[in-house]
Amino acid sequence: MEPWTIEGRTVMITGGNAGIGRATASELVRRGADVTIGVRDRDRGEAAAEAIAREAGRPVDVLEIDLASTASVRAAADRFAAGHPRLDVLILNAGVFYGRHRTTTDGFEATVGINHFGHFLLAGLLFPRLAAAGSARVITVASSAHHRPDAFDVDVLPGWRGRYRGMDAYARSKLANVLFAAELARRAEGTGISSFSLHPGMVSTRIAQDGDTMLVGLLWKLGRFRFLTPAEGAATSVLLATEPEIEDRSGRYFAEGKESRPSRLARDRELAQRLWRRSEEIVGLRFRPGR
Ligand SMILES: NC(=O)c1ccc[n+]([C@@H]2O[C@H](COP(=O)([O-])OP(=O)(O)OC[C@H]3O[C@@H](n4cnc5c(N)ncnc54)[C@H](OP(=O)(O)O)[C@@H]3O)[C@@H](O)[C@H]2O)c1
């Protein structure tokens, strides 16, 4: 196998128009990757693509995708696959924190719907393109918030039982991200596809700033002077996309540039398998890497 370099690799990143995703895209373009940013709003996406091209000196493609709609994810995956015979790096980065209960167009609780189910479906649909690359990486942007839950009932998904709390919904979705990345690594063993999850650090972005998360939004604003910049927050995603020899650490969780031990629940293989099967049922896709 040839040594891994990012130059000339095909990269797709969700949430590539803002925050950590935009900074990650910009750095990977600068290092010579052919990057597509997944965006839910065409105008915001075009504006970000122009800014990235100016900063990085090379163009970036834009793919419209709304992770809150399985129909949109399917249509976007088809368009991407039609134009790209292979995909070397898939970065599942987009994320939301909603202070009030919302649902996706499919009726899923929106935080887990966008942060986990949309990404699970996208990765499943693009898996043949990842496999075609021979050696490929899936990088899931999770969060240290995944440490918060002390239980995770996957049978409740994609709904919500009891009083909704934004932090609990967010933490659960991020636990799903870490479980997904670890289970993908196990299932894809021997296929040339590796999988990682990460915590980027506390980063000054627009997350939790949509006005319905008063307390968290306020704390976020107050904390901003100590937070990382988006470029600093992108460093772990960039590291996992570019590091030449990291395949032997497939399945692991990284926090701020270093391998880190995920929570007890995130290390529960049986839970990861149950979440995988439940996710297949919910998004209506048999996602069977390695078979
Ligand atoms: N910031 C932190 O301190 C921190 C800490 C731990 C983990 N993270 C994780 O880092 C990732 C990036 O977050 P960020 O901090 O950079 O936040 P951000 O600035 O709010 O960016 C989030 C991105 O996700 C996109 N997005 C939201 N809903 C979407 C949908 N339905 N379909 C497609 N894209 C959608 C947004 O698009 P629009 O611009 O159209 O809204 C935006 O591009 C998230 O997964 C987050 O959980 C962040």
Side-chain angles (χ1 to χ4, degrees):
M1 202 185 288
E2 285 192 13
W4 179 272
T5 51
I6 197 66
E7 204 177 337
R9 298 270 174 187
T10 302
V11 177
M12 151 81 183
I13 175 162
T14 62
N17 65 294
I20 297 163
R22 184 191 175 292
T24 305
S26 190
E27 181 58 20
L28 295 179
V29 174
R30 204 183 62 72
R31 295 192 191 199
D34 294 323
V35 177
T36 297
I37 54 171
V39 303
R40 67 173 153 169
D41 180 275
R42 161 79 35 195
D43 291 344
R44 281 201 293 273
E46 296 292 357
E50 276 174 33
I52 292 170
R54 268 199 311 276
E55 279 161 25
R58 296 180 49 252
V60 61
D61 287 334
V62 174
L63 179 76
E64 262 179 86
I65 177 168
D66 182 358
L67 291 156
S69 156
T70 54
S72 171
V73 174
R74 285 180 181 278
D78 283 350
R79 286 198 309 282
F80 183 87
H84 298 86
R86 56 185 275 175
L87 174 58
D88 299 290
V89 181
L90 174 61
I91 308 181
L92 305 172
N93 163 86
V96 293
F97 182 122
Y98 290 141
R100 107 189 123 72
H101 184 268
R102 300 183 188 195
T103 51
T104 67
T105 50
D106 301 280
F108 308 160
E109 184 282 303
T111 316
V112 81
I114 293 166
N115 296 358
H116 170 65
F117 288 119
H119 280 141
F120 179 88
L121 179 60
L122 181 65
L125 294 168
L126 291 181
F127 197 81
R129 290 295 182 272
L130 291 162
S135 171
R137 298 178 182 183
V138 179
I139 298 164
T140 305
V141 181
S143 169
S144 60
H146 86 270
H147 282 276
R148 184 180 163 94
D150 48 26
F152 186 21
D153 179 2
V154 301
D155 295 330
V156 170
L157 300 175
W160 185 266
R161 192 179 289 150
R163 180 163 165 256
Y164 178 84
R165 289 161 63 107
M167 187 39 117
D168 290 344
Y170 181 72
R172 193 174 72 164
S173 77
K174 293 289 139 182
L175 174 58
N177 286 159
V178 183
L179 286 164
F180 162 73
E183 184 62 14
L184 176 59
R186 287 189 283 272
R187 290 182 182 233
E189 218 178 305
T191 64
I193 294 160
S194 44
S195 165
F196 310 92
S197 62
L198 69 103
H199 169 62
M202 298 302 279
V203 187
S204 178
T205 67
R206 282 195 353 251
I207 202 160
Q209 296 296 316
D210 63 357
D212 69 5
T213 48
M214 293 268 288
L215 182 60
V216 175
L218 184 66
L219 290 173
W220 211 253
K221 279 200 177 98
L222 290 173
R224 275 180 169 219
F225 67 96
R226 284 194 286 127
F227 283 10
L228 303 176
T229 63
E232 289 166 339
T236 310
S237 299
V238 171
L239 173 90
L240 293 170
T242 57
E243 189 78 358
E245 282 176 24
I246 203 156
E247 279 69 24
D248 60 343
R249 297 208 265 169
S250 183
R252 309 280 176 83
Y253 168 74
F254 291 72
E256 297 188 60
K258 293 196 185 82
E259 195 177 322
S260 177
R261 186 171 157 90
S263 70
R264 176 185 59 80
L265 285 178
R267 288 181 274 117
D268 183 334
R269 288 180 179 218
E270 205 259 325
L271 179 61
Q273 284 169 18
R274 276 196 284 127
L275 175 66
W276 190 281
R277 288 194 295 271
R278 187 86 185 122
S279 303
E280 284 185 322
E281 273 166 37
I282 287 164
V283 303
L285 178 83
R286 259 174 72 93
F287 183 1
R288 303 287 159 92
R291 290 203 194 150

